[in-house]
Amino acid sequence: MTALVIVGAGPRGTGLLERIAANAAELLPPDRPLAIHLVDPYPPGAGRVWRRDQSPLLRMNSMAEDVTMFTDERSTLDGPVRPGPSLAEWARRPEEFAPYREVADPAVRAELRALAPTDFPTRRAQSAYLDWVFRRAVADLPPHVTVTVHRDTARRIDGPADGPQTVHLTGRALTADHVVLTLGHLDSAPHPRHAADAEFAARHGRFHLPPAYSADVAGELAALAPGEPVVLRGLGLAAVDLVALLTEGRGGRFEPAGDGPALRYRPSGREPVLHLGSRRGVPYHAKTGYRLQGPPAPLPRYFDAAAVDALLATPGPLELRRDLWPSMAKEVAFGHYHELFHAHPERTALPWPAFLARYDRCAWYSPKRAALVAEAVPDPADRIDFERLDQPLAGLALGSAEELQAHLRAYVAADADRRADPAHSADLGAFLALLSLFGQLPRVVASGRLTARSVAEEVDGWFSGYFNSLASGPPGFRLRQLLALSEAGVVRFLGAGVRVDRDEATGTWRASGATVPGHTVTATALIEGYLPQHALHRTLDPVLRQLHGAGRLVEEQLADREHTHRSGLVAIAPADGRLLDPALGGAPHPRRTALGPHTSLRAAAAFARPRTDAPAFRQNDAAARALLRSLAALPAEVLAA
């Protein structure tokens, strides 16, 4: 009996299991039975982040029709395509998809029955979908493959490179011929900059919350007093979740403010006063609440495999902003203008073929491209401006905090209106083109051609933040809620370039921003309103900590003449995800694999929009095929069991 242990049974582990089921008939002979052991203290399928046991206030930032765990006709992989329903399709008629089991929670069951394809589901609804996906993956395995779930925590792994591995759990040990770490999103010990604030809070009896997953810290928020001034640093998804827990979660309620989409907030009196700010100073752009109005753009066009091949063939080191971004920007703008010209031709001044022929010949940062767009797209509101989208408050200096509140309310209202209006569906075209960049960007990073500075400051820094701001924002109703909270005085905006200082004399934090020079807010609590970034040298995961301490993991480290960058990610072989092992001279370990956001492949999303050829699905397929080939080739006399 061959044995495989998968540590982490959330969406990534479930996706790998689905690919094992899809490929087993081809690669694992019937005379080689396989026992798969899934290890996770949280429920299989959903895992920690998507578990059912969390507040119903916490939502996905994707529409139900845009969430799938299955490959489709657009998937480019070596294994077989196994189509399956999106969350929306499954929720509409779950009894038609085997193996059917009624959702136990009546509230979730009612939500699923009423769920529209363009709704933004609760995370508890996604938990139900992932539970079904897991059970389907198990049901699809051939008879000679079995699955055992261990609701336990893996503590350490040992074993020779040429022999069985032992995975030590809290309550027992498992012997395996191969181990896969699909650990999902992980915590790290606080960065020194957060540790200083934690120590400050402890000295003065104040409240401090470092970066965290909202569902995990909901109970800690009870320490904040009604009316207490709180600085909440960050304006992304984690901040939106925390605001919901501290307002609606404390008994406040939203109600319509007229016939339109505007809301009014009725406070409970238990809310703290939340001062929100960040480097960019504005919330992430809302997710679009509509579909494309025209035909999908044929993506990619400019940042495709051939373009990246040509780029990698050039001599010398590469920089993302200098060498890649012009083609990436042109690709995203192509998606934008393709939708504008096809869905809203009355707002364009040239036929699409004529525009495209000239656009093809223009470099992105060229006067010819700017002139072409000005000629063909008369209204500046229909043009895409990456610099304005990146830093909408750049150069703005207001005279008072009240001017800032009015300015930010107008900005947020305009963004919510635009993202809800199909007349601006070019924004969705740009979003889809932005997603397409990940078909090639991981390959460029894995090539080692980017400088260490570019990976640190541009890939993991600027572009990651820019992508999240444009493409990973909250549902539009969250921005409406933020407006209502601002009008009720529960939320106050701090603007861009926020700085938070510790005042030892008063035991308070003082926050200021660049948008209102000289204005300062004093607070008795500080919340870091963004997700923790995993760092291997500070990891709280026991298996990674043990392997790293034993010198059996490589932290991705990039170096050039001027910079050294330690990304905090676990270095793996790009082809199949095997762990690079210093004890083997940095070579891939033949019996240990890792996949997910804690690895150097940088593919965090374990599920995806349908028909986007998701990189995570391709990685899962490649890893599953490599695993099955490796397990099938093991001599019978060296098997673990």
Side-chain angles (χ1 to χ4, degrees):
M1 174 75 74
T2 312
L4 170 67
V5 172
I6 301 176
V7 182
R12 176 63 80 157
T14 298
L16 177 65
L17 187 66
E18 188 277 334
R19 288 288 84 201
I20 290 173
N23 286 284
E26 174 192 350
L27 299 175
L28 191 70
D31 63 354
R32 181 53 64 90
L34 172 63
I36 300 177
H37 297 268
L38 289 175
V39 179
D40 199 316
Y42 293 97
R48 169 191 173 192
V49 172
W50 301 100
R51 65 189 186 272
R52 191 204 65 80
D53 183 21
Q54 58 184 296
S55 170
L57 293 174
L58 301 179
R59 299 263 185 161
M60 301 189 73
N61 69 326
S62 296
M63 295 190 296
E65 67 180 9
D66 290 337
V67 177
T68 188
M69 285 285 289
F70 297 100
T71 53
D72 53 48
E73 73 279 3
R74 293 288 301 274
S75 301
T76 56
L77 34 75
D78 294 330
V81 168
R82 291 279 185 90
S86 67
L87 169 55
E89 292 165 337
W90 174 79
R92 187 162 58 246
R93 34 181 214 284
E95 67 280 356
E96 296 184 14
F97 297 103
Y100 172 67
R101 184 172 71 197
E102 186 175 71
V103 174
D105 187 318
V108 176
R109 200 162 61 240
E111 178 189 353
L112 292 170
R113 279 199 299 266
L115 191 66
T118 53
D119 285 345
F120 291 84
T122 66
R123 295 183 192 171
R124 302 200 306 174
Q126 171 71 345
S127 179
Y129 173 64
L130 291 171
D131 170 73
W132 171 77
V133 172
F134 167 75
R135 290 186 288 106
R136 169 173 151 161
V138 173
D140 284 348
L141 289 165
H144 61 296
V145 181
T146 61
V147 173
T148 303
V149 175
H150 304 269
R151 292 289 295 273
D152 203 339
T153 299
R155 299 294 176 183
R156 72 179 196 275
I157 300 171
D158 51 45
D162 59 352
Q165 307 294 292
T166 302
V167 182
H168 300 268
L169 312 185
T170 303
R172 60 173 296 184
L174 300 172
T175 303
D177 296 292
H178 203 107
V179 180
V180 183
L181 304 179
T182 50
L183 300 169
H185 294 277
L186 298 171
D187 293 321
S188 301
H191 189 280
R193 65 176 178 270
H194 301 312
D197 282 311
E199 293 165 3
F200 176 83
R203 282 198 306 276
H204 296 281
R206 303 303 193 186
F207 180 88
H208 172 255
L209 186 68
Y213 293 96
S214 306
D216 295 341
V217 297
E220 296 181 39
L221 300 177
L224 294 170
E228 182 172 5
V230 178
V231 169
L232 200 163
R233 182 159 44 187
L235 279 163
L237 295 180
V240 166
D241 288 345
L242 291 164
V243 169
L245 293 172
L246 288 166
T247 54
E248 272 191 291
R250 291 200 168 190
R253 70 182 192 276
F254 295 96
E255 58 186 36
D259 296 332
L263 299 173
R264 180 183 295 109
Y265 183 68
R266 300 294 189 188
S268 69
R270 296 164 52 207
E271 302 89 346
V273 177
L274 302 172
H275 298 273
L276 273 60
S278 66
R279 286 176 295 179
R280 192 174 280 109
V282 297
Y284 284 5
H285 291 279
K287 278 291 183 71
T288 55
Y290 46 72
R291 300 172 175 136
L292 286 176
Q293 307 299 295
L299 300 168
R301 185 178 181 89
Y302 306 103
F303 195 68
D304 58 5
V308 170
D309 287 341
L311 189 68
L312 296 178
T314 59
L318 299 174
E319 301 277 348
L320 184 141
R321 294 290 288 265
R322 182 191 68 200
D323 301 310
L324 278 70
W325 174 245
S327 296
M328 296 163 69
K330 190 173 180 180
E331 188 76 69
V332 176
F334 167 70
H336 177 96
Y337 292 122
H338 185 279
E339 173 67 7
L340 180 70
F341 275 76
H342 287 82
H344 313 288
E346 71 282 0
R347 305 212 303 267
T348 64
L350 286 176
W352 171 249
F355 174 84
L356 184 60
R358 291 168 60 184
Y359 185 81
D360 279 341
R361 298 192 297 270
C362 294
W364 178 251
Y365 289 108
S366 69
K368 285 185 177 180
R369 194 273 311 167
L372 170 63
V373 170
E375 175 189 349
V377 184
D379 187 347
D382 286 329
R383 304 170 194 164
I384 193 164
D385 183 338
F386 292 111
E387 284 67 33
R388 179 182 56 81
L389 288 170
D390 189 18
Q391 297 293 334
L393 300 185
L396 180 67
L398 300 175
S400 71
E402 294 311 314
E403 285 184 56
L404 174 63
Q405 307 315 303
H407 182 88
L408 262 294
R409 284 197 287 265
Y411 172 90
V412 171
D415 187 67
D417 288 345
R418 182 178 178 111
R419 293 303 181 106
D421 187 353
H424 294 290
S425 61
D427 292 352
L428 179 55
F431 167 78
L432 294 172
L434 187 62
L435 290 183
S436 78
L437 301 180
F438 288 91
Q440 297 300 324
L441 184 58
R443 183 160 73 95
V444 180
V445 177
S447 73
R449 291 289 309 283
L450 290 170
T451 66
R453 186 203 63 80
S454 183
V455 174
E457 298 178 11
E458 298 179 334
V459 177
D460 293 343
W462 169 76
F463 183 72
S464 176
Y466 192 25
F467 173 84
N468 288 334
S469 173
L470 290 179
S472 194
F477 74 85
R478 288 297 198 200
L479 292 192
R480 304 285 184 195
Q481 292 177 346
L482 201 59
L483 281 173
L485 291 166
S486 173
E487 290 163 352
V490 175
V491 160
R492 302 279 296 174
F493 296 111
L494 291 169
V498 163
R499 172 175 173 168
V500 181
D501 297 308
R502 296 176 290 275
D503 186 340
E504 291 287 353
T506 61
T508 59
W509 286 277
R510 296 174 62 82
S512 58
T515 315
V516 184
H519 175 66
T520 301
V521 168
T522 299
T524 52
L526 172 63
I527 296 176
E528 302 294 352
Y530 43 91
L531 297 179
Q533 183 176 12
H534 184 252
L536 180 58
H537 55 284
R538 292 186 282 109
T539 186
L540 296 181
D541 180 79
V543 165
L544 293 185
R545 187 168 62 239
Q546 173 256 324
L547 290 174
H548 186 241
R552 303 307 301 268
L553 288 181
V554 176
E555 179 177 1
E556 183 189 48
Q557 182 167 311
L558 304 167
D560 54 36
R561 292 181 179 179
E562 299 179 0
H563 298 86
T564 297
H565 174 47
R566 295 173 63 189
S567 69
L569 302 174
V570 176
I572 61 175
D576 56 15
R578 286 184 298 160
L579 286 166
L580 304 186
D581 191 335
L584 303 177
H589 194 293
R591 293 179 180 249
R592 297 174 184 171
T593 293
L595 296 169
H598 60 291
T599 72
S600 55
L601 278 186
R602 291 174 170 80
F607 44 84
R609 293 172 69 102
R611 292 172 290 283
T612 56
D613 192 20
F617 294 177
R618 287 185 269 128
Q619 293 168 10
N620 290 346
D621 188 71
R625 292 178 67 82
L627 280 168
L628 291 170
R629 286 196 181 97
S630 174
L631 293 171
L634 287 174
E637 61 270 16
V638 302
L639 295 182

